[in-house]
Amino acid sequence: ERLMGIYGLYDKRFKWLMREISSNKRLFVILVFLGMFYLTVVSVWFLLGMFLDPQRVAPYATAVLGLVGHVTSLYQSKLDDFNELRDTLKQKMTEFEEKLREQAMAVLKLEAQLSNLSSSAFPVPHGTADSAQQQAQGAAGAAQHGAQQEAQGPAGA
């Protein structure tokens, strides 16, 4: 299904790939069945040997049971350690996230205070950009008109 984006539905490579995946699944099932069958046969012969000649088979049975018990306890111990480590890591990550969130909120509050302070210290003229541009043009026109009157003033007197 994921491979449909890569290959076309009727593409030969896609069909071969699907056959390969299907045959791998079948092979896996067959191997699991054969493994379970082998373990069952060995267990039956082991039990039969325990009944027929216990002095010969008992040390092997003890060794196998000891090994299985040790591996099981070691697995459980490592699983408990992993769960404890995972819980500790989750807790530390949560604490880090909360501290990071608190610091981000503090920075945002500080930025808001600074923007309020800067807007009150340096007031920006209200209005649109067009009105500010008109005010600037008016001021430039007044300065130009004043300069013309100064130039005419001494000549007119």
Side-chain angles (χ1 to χ4, degrees):
E1 295 162 3
R2 293 184 318 213
L3 300 172
M4 290 295 288
I6 299 171
Y7 300 104
L9 181 60
Y10 300 105
D11 190 8
K12 289 180 182 181
R13 292 176 294 179
F14 179 72
K15 288 181 180 180
W16 276 105
L17 184 65
M18 289 296 110
R19 286 184 190 135
E20 183 180 347
I21 290 173
S22 177
S23 63
N24 285 342
K25 287 180 183 179
R26 287 186 198 129
L27 181 63
F28 177 74
V29 169
I30 290 170
L31 287 176
V32 167
F33 174 74
L34 288 176
M36 290 176 64
F37 180 74
Y38 175 76
L39 288 176
T40 303
V41 168
V42 168
S43 300
V44 166
W45 278 104
F46 208 70
L47 283 172
L48 198 60
M50 285 290 290
F51 289 123
L52 295 178
D53 194 6
Q55 293 175 349
R56 231 174 121 193
V57 180
Y60 297 112
T62 305
V64 168
L65 290 176
L67 179 67
V68 168
H70 176 70
V71 168
T72 304
S73 70
L74 191 62
Y75 173 77
Q76 190 62 40
S77 171
K78 295 301 176 190
L79 187 63
D80 292 342
D81 290 345
F82 171 75
N83 288 334
E84 181 181 338
L85 183 64
R86 184 187 61 205
D87 294 340
T88 304
L89 184 62
K90 278 185 181 179
Q91 179 185 4
K92 295 293 182 183
M93 287 175 63
T94 304
E95 290 173 4
F96 176 74
E97 183 181 350
E98 289 173 359
K99 286 180 184 178
L100 192 62
R101 188 176 289 129
E102 289 172 3
Q103 290 175 354
M105 290 303 293
V107 167
L108 288 175
K109 286 179 183 177
L110 184 61
E111 285 180 356
Q113 289 173 354
L114 286 175
S115 68
N116 289 340
L117 181 64
S118 66
S119 65
S120 64
F122 304 104
V124 177
H126 296 291
T128 63
D130 292 336
S131 65
Q133 188 177 10
Q134 288 172 356
Q135 289 175 356
Q137 287 175 351
Q144 199 175 33
H145 181 67
Q148 287 176 354
Q149 283 185 352
E150 280 183 14
Q152 290 175 1

